[in-house]
Amino acid sequence: MAVVGIVPAGGSGERLGADRPKAFVVCAGRPLIEWSLEALSGVCDRVVVAAPDGYAEGPDRVRGGDSRSASVRNAVEAAPEADVFVVHDAARPMVTRDLVERCIEALVPGVDGAIAAIPMTDTVKEVASDGRVLKTLDRSTLWAIQTPQVFKADILRQALERDAAALAAATDDAWLVDDVGGVITVVESFPENIKVTRESDLRVAEAFLAH
Ligand code: CTP
Ligand code: MG
C-alpha cells in the first residue's frame, strides 16, 4: 500500500504579511513547512509539496494552484502510485507523527476519509450580516476540523475533478470527498495543532516548538 503525503504550501500568507510565502517563514529555527514534512516523512513513502513559483523546483515539488484545493489537486496528480493520501497543511507545524498514524489507522473498510478534529469548546452562534444573533448551535455535535486529512486515493482523485470555482469554495478536502458520497470520520486531535494564520499564531508555534 503506497501512502503519499500531500502538503499544500502554495499560499502567499497574506494575513501573516511576511517577506516570503508563509510556508517558508522561519519558525523555531527552520522553515515552517519543515515541521510538517518531518512528521509526514516518517509515515509516508514520499511527500509531494505544492509550492509557489520560486519554491516549486526540485523532486516531489509541484506548483501551487489558484486555491488550496487546486494546489492539492496538482500534488495528487503527481502521485499516480498512491493508494492512500495524507493531506496536511504546511501551516500546521505542531502536527505529530502519532496523529498522522491514528488518521491512517482510522481508514478502515467502509471509511473513505479520516480527519483530525477537536470537539468545540466555544459556544457557536449563527449571526446575520448586520450582527444580529439568529440562533445558537448545539455544541455537543460540533467539531472544529484540522489537518491531517487522510483519504483512500481513488475517492480523493474523483473528488478533485471539479471546476476552479468549486475547488475555491471548498475550505477542506473532506468537503469535496463528502460531496461525492464519501464516508468521513473524525479522529480526535489536540488543540495545539493550530493553523498559523497571523503573526500571533507564529509566536505561539515558536514557543511550543522551541523546546
Ligand atoms: N495553500 C495552497 N495554495 C493556495 C492557497 C493556500 O497550497 N492557493 C495552502 C497554504 O500554503 C497553507 C494551507 O493551504 O499551507 C492553508 O491555507 P492558509 O492558511 O489560508 O494559507 P495562505 O493562503 O498562504 O494564507 P492567507 O489566506 O493569509 O493568504
Ligand atoms: Mg488562504
Side-chain angles (χ1 to χ4, degrees), residues 175-195:
W175 165 332
L176 295 165
V177 173
D178 180 45
D179 247 18
V180 293
V183 175
I184 312 284
T185 188
V186 293
V187 173
E188 189 157 352
S189 176
F190 49 91
E192 291 83 1
N193 185 31
I194 61 164
K195 182 158 73 73

Side-chain angles (χ1 to χ4, degrees), residues 138-168:
D138 175 11
R139 191 173 67 192
S140 68
T141 67
L142 295 174
W143 291 64
I145 305 304
Q146 307 173 338
T147 68
Q149 299 195 349
V150 175
F151 303 98
K152 292 185 176 150
D154 283 340
I155 198 161
L156 182 61
R157 291 187 184 106
Q158 183 196 343
L160 289 165
E161 282 171 18
R162 302 288 295 270
D163 62 25
L167 293 180

Side-chain angles (χ1 to χ4, degrees), residues 8-16 22-23 50 64-68 71 89-91 195-197:
S12 60
E14 209 170 298
R15 287 167 291 181
L16 187 64
K22 181 165 71 182
D66 289 338
S67 65
R68 180 187 176 283
S71 292
D89 287 337
K195 182 158 73 73
V196 171
T197 304

Side-chain angles (χ1 to χ4, degrees), residues 15-208:
R15 287 167 291 181
L16 187 64
D19 61 352
R20 68 194 81 174
K22 181 165 71 182
F24 303 93
V25 168
V26 174
C27 178
R30 39 170 138 156
L32 192 63
I33 190 174
E34 293 295 332
W35 296 98
S36 295
L37 292 178
E38 183 179 78
L40 262 64
S41 61
V43 189
C44 301
D45 296 302
R46 70 182 177 114
V47 182
V48 181
V49 173
D53 282 349
Y55 297 85
E57 294 70 35
D60 290 336
R61 295 260 171 148
V62 299
R63 285 171 72 167
D66 289 338
S67 65
R68 180 187 176 283
S69 301
S71 292
V72 170
R73 188 171 65 183
N74 288 353
V76 159
E77 283 172 354
E81 82 280 20
D83 300 303
V84 168
F85 284 116
V86 178
V87 185
H88 181 70
D89 287 337
R92 290 188 192 268
M94 266 91 95
V95 65
T96 59
R97 181 176 169 159
D98 173 70
L99 180 59
V100 176
E101 285 173 343
R102 286 195 292 117
C103 289
I104 295 172
E105 281 161 18
L107 211 59
V108 294
V111 172
D112 300 302
I115 64 178
I118 50 170
M120 283 300 299
T121 50
D122 293 325
T123 295
V124 183
K125 295 186 194 292
E126 210 175 288
V127 180
S129 57
D130 65 358
R132 197 167 66 88
V133 171
L134 300 174
K135 67 173 177 186
T136 302
L137 303 177
D138 175 11
R139 191 173 67 192
S140 68
T141 67
L142 295 174
W143 291 64
I145 305 304
Q146 307 173 338
T147 68
Q149 299 195 349
V150 175
F151 303 98
K152 292 185 176 150
D154 283 340
I155 198 161
L156 182 61
R157 291 187 184 106
Q158 183 196 343
L160 289 165
E161 282 171 18
R162 302 288 295 270
D163 62 25
L167 293 180
T171 52
D172 76 344
D173 309 293
W175 165 332
L176 295 165
V177 173
D178 180 45
D179 247 18
V180 293
V183 175
I184 312 284
T185 188
V186 293
V187 173
E188 189 157 352
S189 176
F190 49 91
E192 291 83 1
N193 185 31
I194 61 164
K195 182 158 73 73
V196 171
T197 304
R198 299 183 176 80
E199 175 69 22
S200 57
D201 302 319
L202 192 62
R203 299 281 87 81
V204 169
E206 223 146 32
F208 185 86

